[in-house]
Amino acid sequence: MEQAEQVKLGRILLEYIDKDERARSEAPFANPVRDYICRDQADRERELLFRDHPLILGMTGDLPNPGDFFTNDFAGRPILVVRGKDGKVNAFLNVCRHRGAKLATADLAQGCARTGGSFNCPYHGWAYGLDGRLLGILDADAFGEVDRPTLSLRRLAAVERNGFIWVRPGSEKPFDPDTLLGALAPEMAAYGFERYSHYQTRTLRRAMNWKLVIGTFLEGYHIKILHRNSIASMILGAHTSFDPYGRHVRMAVPRTGFRTLREAPEGEWDVLKHTAVVYALFPNTVLVWQGDHMETWRVFPGATPDESVMHASLYIPEPALTDKATRHWDRNMKILLDTVEHEDFPLGEDMQRGFHSGAQDHLLFGRNEPALAHFHRSVHEALCLQEA
């Protein structure tokens, strides 16, 4: 975040703290329960949001060297993402063109994997280069003549920009991440995430709709109740800001020491040091700036509307090369996971079950929960759904 924007945000948050206020929308928003349980809507989301729409599948730090790769099946198609010998990121369908076997498996939870220069099919040994070209066929003479250029791996559109690795799961149709981010693009670039190192990723599966997971991060209203024994003492959740950027959202939550900014001239303010900044990057990525490091939550629908799967990742400003650094980041990862795993997600799973009870047709998002309303309106707009 650029300094001028930090000062602007700092002024807003200080005013909220002084006035015991927060960002508010014009009116409460009624969100239909069908958003979380309707199979037809879930199918439409998969097609429009997780196949046609470019997604953030990783960060630059996930693929530090040529030959590094990871795989991802969560968007509904088997995807292979690899850094080529030229340093560029490539994405392909993770399917051998001979008989359809999966070429590689490397979930980010185990860290990126590395290949020397090719991917070899585990079924018949066909070999593909880091650029997707078919390099070799076992017993080629016996197999018979084939048109090798037409049997390259199916390429998907992939762009690496400002530390983010974007992939369009459904096709090779080109896209521009800056256009997707709109007015938020310069702010994302200012963080310098391309210099950050991947520390750890966990793969989590929960019995709750993917949008319910996203919503966990989009309001501070619940913090002093649900998190009263954990993070509530660290942040001022009642004084959150809200800024929409197209379909994206920025929500900032001041930490308890935020008032100390006043001890320095505005030009020296380090607002980011005293703030948790939450970005919901449409459709399915939540990025949380945590003062000196960054966490991401990349959330995908499960097999039914009642399931989701996600990558929870921690990225740090420099590699953890000492025992002291490892202990420090292990503690941060534990806080990251414990809060949601022991408090947010169990309650979310209870909510998901409750959605099937018929107790209500809509959920009500208050004026003090504008980011939630904005996110769901954005989903409705992308799906061309009529609001009830």
Side-chain angles (χ1 to χ4, degrees):
M1 187 186 297
E2 296 173 332
Q3 182 63 26
E5 186 64 21
Q6 288 195 51
V7 171
K8 179 182 175 182
L9 179 60
R11 289 172 179 168
I12 291 171
L13 292 175
L14 283 172
E15 181 178 355
Y16 285 167
I17 292 170
D18 291 343
K19 295 181 177 180
D20 194 22
E21 194 48 271
R22 70 185 76 195
R24 297 178 187 267
S25 55
E26 293 184 0
F29 174 71
N31 194 55
V33 169
R34 69 164 184 265
D35 269 21
Y36 306 96
I37 60 175
C38 175
R39 287 184 175 272
D40 289 341
Q41 178 170 330
D43 290 343
R44 189 167 177 79
E45 289 170 358
R46 275 197 173 278
E47 183 65 25
L48 297 180
L49 303 184
F50 292 91
R51 185 182 176 100
D52 290 344
H53 199 289
L55 305 175
I56 298 171
L57 293 190
M59 303 293 291
T60 294
D62 293 319
L63 300 177
N65 303 299
D68 290 346
F69 70 94
F70 62 80
T71 60
N72 188 315
D73 296 346
F74 299 159
R77 307 184 89 193
I79 297 173
L80 169 64
V81 183
V82 59
R83 189 173 298 283
K85 294 180 179 179
D86 58 1
K88 294 182 179 179
V89 167
N90 299 309
F92 309 100
L93 289 180
N94 189 15
V95 176
C96 178
R97 299 296 306 283
H98 172 215
R99 296 274 285 278
K102 179 178 284 190
L103 283 178
T105 300
D107 188 278
L108 280 175
Q110 282 74 51
C112 73
R114 179 171 298 178
T115 180
S118 65
F119 295 98
N120 297 313
C121 178
Y123 198 2
H124 297 95
W126 283 31
Y128 298 86
L130 305 186
D131 58 0
R133 291 183 301 116
L134 177 60
L135 299 179
I137 298 175
L138 183 68
D139 296 333
D141 291 341
F143 190 88
E145 186 175 345
V146 297
D147 185 3
R148 293 196 183 195
T150 67
L151 293 174
S152 297
L153 297 180
R154 292 292 189 189
R155 182 176 290 274
L156 302 175
V159 181
E160 184 178 21
R161 182 81 51 82
N162 297 322
F164 297 93
I165 296 174
W166 300 77
V167 176
R168 189 193 295 275
S171 74
E172 199 177 350
K173 181 180 177 183
F175 63 90
D176 178 14
D178 288 348
T179 300
L180 291 173
L181 290 173
L184 195 57
E187 186 163 321
M188 291 292 100
Y191 280 99
F193 289 137
E194 66 274 12
R195 299 188 295 272
Y196 277 58
S197 297
H198 172 253
Y199 184 70
Q200 196 173 112
T201 291
R202 297 287 182 87
T203 301
L204 308 177
R205 299 177 184 272
R206 302 305 299 220
M208 52 197 288
N209 186 270
W210 71 274
K211 297 184 296 298
L212 199 55
V213 176
I214 298 287
T216 296
F217 301 93
L218 294 185
E219 48 90 1
Y221 186 32
H222 72 285
I223 291 175
K224 68 178 180 181
I225 303 299
L226 182 60
H227 301 313
R228 59 187 176 275
N229 296 321
S230 54
I231 63 172
S233 62
M234 307 176 193
I235 56 179
L236 303 175
H239 305 297
T240 55
S241 68
F242 161 69
D243 293 285
Y245 294 84
R247 291 175 179 169
H248 312 294
V249 168
R250 184 185 73 191
M251 188 182 84
V253 187
R255 298 180 185 277
T256 51
F258 194 84
R259 293 181 182 86
T260 60
L261 284 179
R262 287 197 171 104
E263 298 173 4
E266 286 187 351
E268 299 177 9
W269 281 4
D270 187 351
V271 173
L272 294 178
K273 180 180 178 181
H274 300 284
T275 313
V277 188
V278 179
Y279 297 92
L281 303 180
F282 192 85
N284 72 321
T285 295
V286 174
L287 185 158
V288 186
W289 173 260
Q290 292 285 20
D292 64 349
H293 64 280
M294 182 261 287
E295 65 187 58
T296 63
W297 299 82
R298 295 182 287 265
V299 190
F300 301 84
T304 72
D306 299 308
E307 301 169 280
S308 60
V309 59
M310 70 205 82
H311 278 144
S313 302
L314 185 67
Y315 298 91
I316 58 179
E318 58 186 25
L321 302 179
T322 66
D323 290 342
K324 180 179 178 180
T326 299
R327 289 193 298 271
H328 172 74
W329 295 119
D330 280 348
R331 285 194 298 271
N332 278 271
M333 192 71 184
K334 186 176 188 302
I335 292 171
L336 177 158
L337 291 171
D338 283 356
T339 303
V340 294
E341 286 281 74
H342 299 319
E343 297 174 357
D344 290 287
F345 290 168
L347 191 63
E349 291 182 326
D350 284 344
M351 292 164 62
Q352 187 71 34
R353 287 188 287 269
F355 295 154
H356 292 276
S357 70
Q360 58 196 129
D361 295 324
H362 293 79
L363 308 183
L364 196 61
F365 301 148
R367 291 184 59 214
N368 57 346
E369 302 176 288
L372 269 177
H374 182 83
F375 168 67
H376 282 276
R377 284 193 172 107
S378 297
V379 171
H380 297 169
E381 178 185 68
L383 301 181
C384 299
L385 295 177
Q386 295 288 342
E387 291 185 8

